[in-house]
Amino acid sequence: MARQAENQRTAQTRPKLSMAIRMLLLFVSALVFVDTTFFTALTPLLPHYVHSVGLSKAGAGILVAAYPFGTLAGALPGGLLVARLGARRGVFFGLILMSGSTLLFGWSTTAVVLDSARFVQGLGGACTWAAGMAWLASAAPEERRGELLGTALGAAIGGALFGPVVGAIAHQIGTGPAFSAAAVFGAVLLVINFIITGPAKTEPQGLSAAFAAVKDRPVAIGLWLTTIPGLAFGVLDVLAPLRLSQLGVGALAISGAFLASAAFEAGLSPLGGRLADRRGPYLPVRISLAAGVIVSLLAPVLAPAAVLIPMLVVGMPAFGTMFAPSSALLANSAHRLDLHQGLAFGLANLAWALGQSVAAAASGAIAQATNDFVPYALLAFACLATLLTLRGRGPSARAAEQSP
């Protein structure tokens, strides 16, 4: 009865969304969809580049890590750009960089140019993500902020879902024609960027405000919870396709595995955001961390491919579903601290990129020097240690963190 009463109160206080916010949600969802599409399109192409360009396992790790390295370099400048010039201009610069670099990547055949293009893609992604998510977080009602951020993240996962399909198409028709679509989508989004209702004006802030916010415990926790999925996908994006290839799985089947996993995750992400709105961010995070420990320990040892693929499809979303509650925690904390949302999501970009770039570069090198189990075991340890640390944080902690 108590739970039913709570659900009724939640439904009564859940505000309706205006048409302007709905259109903004669609626009931001499209932004992150396109970005992640061309980010994850590399996954099924990784064996192709290993053979055609002559990349080693460590070289493949560097290619995967180049994008998050670019996001790492552009995270704070991108957040500062949004905080000083506004979200609309942040989106503009991000789309220009994304479109041009993806076009270059598609027509490149040397490791240096491929790595450089991916790096610039990461720079563009840092701008579009900080601008788009800050724009949405600022406009969203507090009671539905986690749900709306989770919905946009679900669209990003949908892009990650579609990316391997683009990669498989590129494997058949050539990377140049397939990746040229980025310029077309970028041009369309640029037009929409200038006609959609603009964000509310805010006072410009500098990086000193962001550095001061990191000392706040909920902000620090939110950033670490954003780092963990970066670490996880840094490991999985390098080692999982290569292991599947070693087990005799082709590019199309690898695409299918990541496609199915992303589809599952896209459905879970808005639910995770809604659960964070209702029960606080720590409950969905603890569920994800517990599942992440299991996935990390099974991924390097399961065989044959018929057993490994279903586990990856069901298990990989354990990491991606952490983004919605951690984003809600960061956005609410920024609101409480009067921190510009652009700087908050700039910090989030920094945390994710640091995790993914380090893990992608290190996991390939560590696996080459030892075996695949070692980087996966380190990932399992990070998830378990975080789970134990957050075990005592519940509704009382949530109330304290939301108070001014």
Side-chain angles (χ1 to χ4, degrees), residues 365-379:
I366 292 172
Q368 188 168 312
T370 56
N371 55 59
D372 285 6
F373 185 79
V374 175
Y376 277 113
L378 292 173
L379 175 60

Side-chain angles (χ1 to χ4, degrees), residues 136-173:
L136 182 60
S138 299
E142 184 177 355
E143 299 85 354
R144 300 188 64 177
R145 187 174 287 143
E147 178 187 354
L148 296 188
L149 291 174
T151 301
L153 288 166
I157 298 163
L161 180 156
F162 190 58
V165 176
V166 174
I169 294 172
H171 187 71
Q172 298 297 321
I173 69 172

Side-chain angles (χ1 to χ4, degrees), residues 51-403:
H51 292 100
S52 64
V53 183
L55 298 176
S56 64
K57 185 176 285 189
I62 291 173
L63 180 59
V64 173
Y67 180 102
F69 269 129
T71 305
L72 180 65
L76 291 181
L80 183 61
L81 174 70
V82 176
R84 290 290 180 88
L85 300 181
R88 196 191 298 275
R89 291 178 180 173
V91 168
F92 172 79
F93 286 113
L95 285 174
I96 292 294
L97 292 175
M98 183 277 294
S99 301
S101 59
T102 305
L103 186 65
L104 176 63
F105 182 87
W107 294 99
S108 301
T109 57
T110 62
V112 173
V113 179
L114 288 169
D115 291 342
S116 299
R118 290 283 287 181
F119 180 84
V120 177
Q121 277 183 315
L123 289 174
C127 293
T128 53
W129 272 83
M133 298 300 280
W135 196 341
L136 182 60
S138 299
E142 184 177 355
E143 299 85 354
R144 300 188 64 177
R145 187 174 287 143
E147 178 187 354
L148 296 188
L149 291 174
T151 301
L153 288 166
I157 298 163
L161 180 156
F162 190 58
V165 176
V166 174
I169 294 172
H171 187 71
Q172 298 297 321
I173 69 172
T175 56
F179 283 87
S180 295
V184 177
F185 289 121
V188 172
L189 290 172
L190 279 171
V191 173
I192 298 174
N193 180 53
F194 286 106
I195 62 176
I196 196 170
T197 302
K201 292 186 177 181
T202 56
E203 289 295 323
Q205 291 183 352
L207 289 179
S208 58
F211 295 143
V214 175
K215 300 176 184 178
D216 183 72
R217 180 174 174 80
V219 171
I221 292 174
L223 292 175
W224 174 242
L225 294 177
T226 306
T227 304
I228 289 180
L231 292 170
F233 288 113
V235 174
L236 287 162
D237 286 350
V238 173
L239 299 183
L242 296 180
R243 175 161 171 76
L244 289 172
S245 181
Q246 290 172 355
L247 293 174
V249 181
L252 189 60
I254 293 174
S255 298
F258 279 80
L259 174 71
S261 178
F264 187 33
E265 186 179 327
L268 291 176
S269 183
L271 297 179
R274 183 175 294 185
L275 183 59
D277 287 335
R278 295 176 57 181
R279 302 286 301 277
Y282 297 114
L283 176 60
V285 163
R286 285 196 293 267
I287 295 171
S288 294
L289 288 170
V293 173
I294 297 172
V295 173
S296 301
L297 295 176
L298 290 179
V301 298
L302 282 184
V307 177
L308 177 58
I309 288 176
M311 193 283 296
L312 291 174
V313 169
V314 176
M316 285 194 294
F319 300 106
T321 49
M322 273 187 268
F323 282 125
S326 64
S327 295
L329 178 59
L330 276 173
N332 290 334
S333 299
H335 179 73
R336 174 173 52 84
L337 297 171
D338 291 326
L339 176 69
H340 195 287
Q341 294 288 352
L343 291 174
F345 284 97
L347 289 171
N349 281 336
L350 180 66
W352 169 82
L354 184 63
Q356 177 125 4
S357 57
V358 170
S363 61
I366 292 172
Q368 188 168 312
T370 56
N371 55 59
D372 285 6
F373 185 79
V374 175
Y376 277 113
L378 292 173
L379 175 60
F381 175 78
C383 291
L384 181 60
T386 305
L387 176 62
L388 294 176
T389 301
L390 296 180
R391 187 173 56 179
R393 302 189 71 80
S396 60
R398 179 194 180 197
E401 287 159 7
Q402 288 182 336
S403 62

